[in-house]
Amino acid sequence: MSSNSLNKPGVIAACAALLLFAALAMTANVRKAHWHTIAWVTPSPDERTLTATFTVYGPKDGDGRFCWEVTDTEVQESLSQVTIGVQMSNPCAPLLSWGTIKLPDNGRRFDVQLHLRAPLRGRTVIEKESRQEIEVVRPDEG
């Protein structure tokens, strides 16, 4: 391609359109489920169920319904640890939005029960996505 062909108005317009499309695609937010950060877990008295507690933020829909919902959970157990995850989705969010999503400060506490095959018995609880240890809060400790 010669340098003359790059100076044609049609080529310049096509390149500008491609650059604009690429910039818009990089700033688009697509509604999808994601693994949520868990604040703490509370074991049941028999330690076979963990209640994962966390806060979600988001607007209510037109009917006043808080829109977040659990779409998936995961529990992986070994002798020394339990890895858990809770996947959330907001079906009220636009399918595609542009720019930064601003979260309101009207957080809502969520508690999700996760069932274990064996009692927790001192095993470390790890968050699936971050791989960080999650605090275990026992009801009789305060």
Side-chain angles (χ1 to χ4, degrees), residues 99-118:
T100 306
I101 297 174
K102 183 180 178 201
L103 296 176
D105 51 3
N106 63 336
R108 178 177 171 194
R109 178 178 156 164
F110 256 72
D111 291 320
V112 177
Q113 291 191 338
L114 304 164
H115 301 285
L116 305 179
R117 290 186 315 241

Side-chain angles (χ1 to χ4, degrees), residues 54-110:
F54 50 92
T55 303
V56 293
Y57 298 89
K60 296 178 180 179
D61 72 359
D63 296 333
R65 178 178 65 105
F66 198 80
C67 293
W68 286 97
E69 62 187 23
V70 176
T71 56
D72 195 10
T73 61
E74 187 170 312
V75 177
Q76 296 176 355
E77 298 181 56
S78 73
L79 293 175
S80 62
Q81 70 183 30
V82 175
T83 302
I84 61 172
V86 176
Q87 193 174 57
M88 302 287 293
S89 177
N90 182 348
C92 301
L95 184 58
L96 187 65
S97 61
W98 304 101
T100 306
I101 297 174
K102 183 180 178 201
L103 296 176
D105 51 3
N106 63 336
R108 178 177 171 194
R109 178 178 156 164
F110 256 72

